[in-house]
Amino acid sequence: MQEDSKWLNDFYQEVNAGKRMELWQKHGCTEQAEGDTFREQLLYARYGKKKKKEDTFIGYLMQMKYLSESTGVDFSGQRKKQAVEIINGLYLLDVENRSRVEQEILQAELKNTFLTFMDVSKKGRGFTSLVFGMGQLSEEGIAKKIAEQISAIAFTMPHKFQMDREFAVLQKAALEAFRQQYPEREHFLMK
């Protein structure tokens, strides 16, 4: 059991898709612990089955950011439809009817998605620069900027569409990831 929790911890902390798939191939496919079928389903939904493609879950976060920033009235209901597609794509639909183990697995996968998002953001020169790629933000400035992004994704967008209940697991995962990366800076988040 100790070895099982070690590799799972490594699996959920790893932000490199290729290394995550290697960990899965080495441990997950062979040991078959409770919830591994669902874990595998999430992994393939996120990265694809054959060879690594774009991180679909990060794509959903970007769509959520776009929806949080969209203004004007949604007369056609397209934005609401897009929000429902995101709920489906992130396996959040009827999450309360899933087993406790599956809910924990989903939350861990979403936390990893936010860890990946923060890692990519911190490494992006455009994200960490002050003006037109000149000058770099301080660590505190980067934390604030990431907090703004996560706030828009995990809190503003669900509030805007009155879907906090549907996105509750994602919100918990976002908080956990931010607290892990930036302890003592949760006050930067706008919940």
Side-chain angles (χ1 to χ4, degrees):
M1 186 65 175
Q2 188 73 357
E3 178 63 31
D4 184 45
S5 62
K6 166 87 172 95
W7 89 263
L8 273 175
N9 185 54
D10 292 346
F11 178 74
Y12 285 117
Q13 293 302 310
E14 181 58 60
V15 294
N16 180 289
K19 290 179 181 175
R20 290 190 83 217
M21 292 300 270
E22 286 175 20
L23 283 167
W24 175 252
Q25 295 299 323
K26 184 176 178 185
H27 298 283
C29 291
T30 57
E31 295 174 13
Q32 291 303 310
E34 182 182 4
D36 274 352
T37 302
F38 184 59
R39 190 174 283 114
E40 182 176 56
Q41 187 179 4
L42 289 174
L43 198 61
Y44 291 148
R46 186 169 173 187
Y47 302 119
K49 203 166 191 163
K50 297 284 182 205
K51 58 181 179 179
K52 182 189 154 315
K53 59 177 183 178
E54 297 298 314
D55 188 332
T56 306
F57 284 17
I58 294 289
Y60 288 129
L61 296 186
M62 294 297 92
Q63 288 180 41
M64 291 176 72
K65 183 179 179 306
Y66 163 77
L67 289 173
S68 74
E69 295 169 348
S70 61
T71 57
V73 180
D74 186 20
F75 290 115
S76 65
Q78 286 301 313
R79 291 185 211 139
K80 183 85 168 186
K81 287 178 190 173
Q82 190 176 2
V84 171
E85 288 174 16
I86 293 167
I87 290 169
N88 285 326
L90 292 175
Y91 289 77
L92 294 169
L93 186 66
D94 293 328
V95 71
E96 63 274 357
N97 294 328
R98 292 192 176 276
S99 71
R100 182 188 58 75
V101 170
E102 286 185 349
Q103 289 178 25
E104 290 171 359
I105 289 169
L106 179 59
Q107 187 169 330
E109 191 64 36
L110 292 173
K111 177 183 174 186
N112 178 270
T113 303
F114 278 102
L115 291 173
T116 303
F117 171 79
M118 289 187 283
D119 183 64
V120 169
S121 296
K122 285 192 297 189
K123 290 178 180 174
R125 186 146 175 82
F127 186 85
T128 60
S129 65
L130 291 170
V131 180
F132 302 115
M134 297 177 64
Q136 292 299 111
L137 289 171
S138 67
E139 187 63 32
E140 194 81 355
I142 292 170
K144 284 181 183 177
K145 194 168 181 180
I146 287 175
E148 289 171 7
Q149 301 281 320
I150 289 176
S151 296
I153 292 166
F155 302 104
T156 303
M157 182 266 169
H159 291 333
K160 187 175 189 174
F161 291 94
Q162 300 171 354
M163 296 177 142
D164 286 303
R165 184 182 60 80
E166 290 85 350
F167 285 101
V169 172
L170 180 126
Q171 291 172 337
K172 288 178 192 172
L175 278 172
E176 280 183 24
F178 190 80
R179 286 175 181 151
Q180 178 182 317
Q181 289 298 111
Y182 298 104
E184 311 297 325
R185 293 187 181 136
E186 186 178 335
H187 60 280
F188 290 158
L189 291 172
M190 295 166 271
K191 300 177 255 179

